[in-house]
Amino acid sequence: MRIEQYTSKEKLPALMKGSYYHSAEFFHLLEDSSGITPIMFVAYDGDEELGHMLAILKRDLRLLPPGIYHWCSIYGEGVYSEKCTDRNTLFHHFMQRLIKALDMRYLFIEVRHITDPRTTYRTFSRFGFVPRDDTRIYISLHSRNPEERLSRAYRAHIRRATERGVTYSQATGAEEIKEGMKLLKKYYASKISRYFAPTDLLHKILLGSTQESPDARMFTVRNKEGKMIGCSICLYSEERVYLLYSCGLRKSHPLLYPGIMSVWAAIEDAHKRGIPHFEFAVSGAPLRKNTGFRNFILNFGGKQVSTIRWYRYRWMWINKILRKIYV
């Protein structure tokens, strides 16, 4: 077995299908985006692919505290072929190559959305990763109508907003997407703990998506005068919809419930298209057990699933101290 490392789309070979987070299409978009460098690790047995994993190197300018920050994110374990009999060992080799590839600029590695934390626990422990309890919240759209899962208060809020002339729809044109992106960027500018992807990357994903097989969609919420008061962006991967970002002008339009309507527009669209699961990509700060945002999304009828988010910091002495606290 050999593992190849690719940082250029010109050299990236054809890859097997799987999670969008580890796809060649996502790699191409990331490479053309500012502040992001993708690394694809591909394992071969001879000329046959055994699996691949995409790591996303991010660079972000923060004002508080001021500086340019570098870190690495991985969403899920990767994609593996049916002939790969030992995925845990292959994942171990992927992580080993990633750690060697990163230089001293990168503050930490974050791994999230692991399907079964038990299968990867040994690998993370060997490399000194620090586990933190996390929560994934999703809604099953195949067993019941999403309206039945809403809390009584949210059902009333949606009804009142509709009676007051609020409408929502999918953004299709470039100008409408640009308007929604401006609203989202302004909203997340004050969210220090939330990372907002480069707008050029989101533009390319949204404009490149098709109705038949979408990669992402934007939904906009407007009042009866036609002003945009809410917006949300969803990513589609393996019969699952991930709500990446959502916002609403709640302070200026409190009686129209734009924050609720922006999320509801995405949930209702996923249900109409027959997608079985809707998941919130972010369910609140992992270091806090109770957050207002988590309570907000639970009112849509979501189910909480305990999981683990893994971190490995640049300084091993920090990892050792944190592992004594949390392991």
Side-chain angles (χ1 to χ4, degrees), residues 72-113:
C72 174
S73 293
I74 302 174
Y75 300 94
E77 303 95 318
V79 178
Y80 302 90
S81 69
E82 295 180 355
K83 295 183 178 180
C84 180
T85 57
D86 193 351
R87 297 188 177 188
N88 298 339
T89 300
L90 185 51
F91 179 73
H92 175 91
H93 289 306
F94 281 150
M95 296 305 300
Q96 188 176 41
R97 285 292 298 269
L98 172 63
I99 293 172
K100 290 181 178 180
L102 297 183
D103 56 37
M104 293 299 294
R105 292 176 300 169
Y106 291 89
L107 298 178
F108 62 88
I109 303 171
E110 179 193 40
V111 186
R112 54 194 302 191
H113 293 176

Side-chain angles (χ1 to χ4, degrees), residues 195-206:
Y195 172 78
F196 189 72
T199 54
D200 56 343
L201 170 62
L202 296 175
H203 269 292
K204 292 173 183 175
I205 297 177
L206 290 167

Side-chain angles (χ1 to χ4, degrees), residues 7-235:
T7 57
S8 166
K9 61 183 178 182
E10 287 78 15
K11 298 181 180 180
L12 186 69
L15 302 173
M16 67 179 70
K17 296 296 183 179
S19 170
Y20 181 76
Y21 285 116
H22 298 274
S23 65
E25 295 81 6
F26 193 37
F27 180 97
H28 295 164
L29 293 170
L30 291 172
E31 187 183 10
D32 295 333
S33 302
S34 59
I36 293 180
T37 302
I39 300 181
M40 183 73 78
F41 299 95
V42 185
Y44 294 97
D45 182 8
D47 295 331
E48 186 176 6
E49 180 188 349
L50 294 177
H52 61 268
M53 185 187 76
L54 177 61
I56 307 171
L57 310 185
K58 302 176 181 179
R59 183 181 69 253
D60 191 21
L61 175 64
R62 293 294 180 94
L63 299 178
L64 294 173
I68 299 176
Y69 294 87
H70 298 76
W71 72 95
C72 174
S73 293
I74 302 174
Y75 300 94
E77 303 95 318
V79 178
Y80 302 90
S81 69
E82 295 180 355
K83 295 183 178 180
C84 180
T85 57
D86 193 351
R87 297 188 177 188
N88 298 339
T89 300
L90 185 51
F91 179 73
H92 175 91
H93 289 306
F94 281 150
M95 296 305 300
Q96 188 176 41
R97 285 292 298 269
L98 172 63
I99 293 172
K100 290 181 178 180
L102 297 183
D103 56 37
M104 293 299 294
R105 292 176 300 169
Y106 291 89
L107 298 178
F108 62 88
I109 303 171
E110 179 193 40
V111 186
R112 54 194 302 191
H113 293 176
I114 296 295
T115 305
D116 188 355
R118 296 171 297 179
T119 61
T120 55
Y121 186 87
R122 180 175 297 180
T123 294
F124 288 128
S125 297
R126 286 181 179 177
F127 291 118
F129 277 79
V130 180
R132 291 309 317 270
D133 292 335
D134 198 8
T135 302
R136 295 178 68 174
I137 299 178
Y138 70 94
I139 303 173
S140 296
L141 302 178
H142 55 84
S143 56
R144 293 169 58 190
N145 288 330
E147 293 90 346
E148 299 176 7
R149 297 184 180 276
L150 290 170
S151 67
R152 180 182 299 180
Y154 273 35
R155 196 179 298 119
H157 293 338
I158 293 172
R159 185 187 69 251
R160 291 169 189 159
T162 304
E163 293 173 350
R164 291 164 183 167
V166 175
T167 59
Y168 49 85
S169 62
Q170 178 187 344
T172 54
E175 289 301 319
E176 189 176 14
I177 291 176
K178 183 178 180 180
E179 183 183 2
M181 204 70 66
K182 184 178 179 180
L183 185 66
L184 284 166
K185 189 174 182 180
K186 183 177 180 181
Y187 175 80
Y188 281 97
S190 60
K191 308 293 182 182
I192 299 177
S193 61
R194 288 291 308 274
Y195 172 78
F196 189 72
T199 54
D200 56 343
L201 170 62
L202 296 175
H203 269 292
K204 292 173 183 175
I205 297 177
L206 290 167
L207 292 175
S209 293
T210 62
Q211 288 291 337
E212 297 78 14
S213 180
D215 295 328
R217 286 193 179 101
M218 173 183 283
F219 301 94
T220 60
V221 178
R222 299 181 182 274
N223 61 11
K224 62 181 179 181
E225 288 81 20
K227 178 184 176 182
M228 186 181 296
I229 59 175
C231 183
S232 60
I233 295 179
C234 291
L235 182 71

Side-chain angles (χ1 to χ4, degrees), residues 285-298:
L287 303 182
R288 297 168 58 186
K289 294 184 178 180
N290 297 309
T291 65
F293 181 73
R294 185 172 301 171
N295 295 332
F296 166 73
I297 60 182
L298 284 174

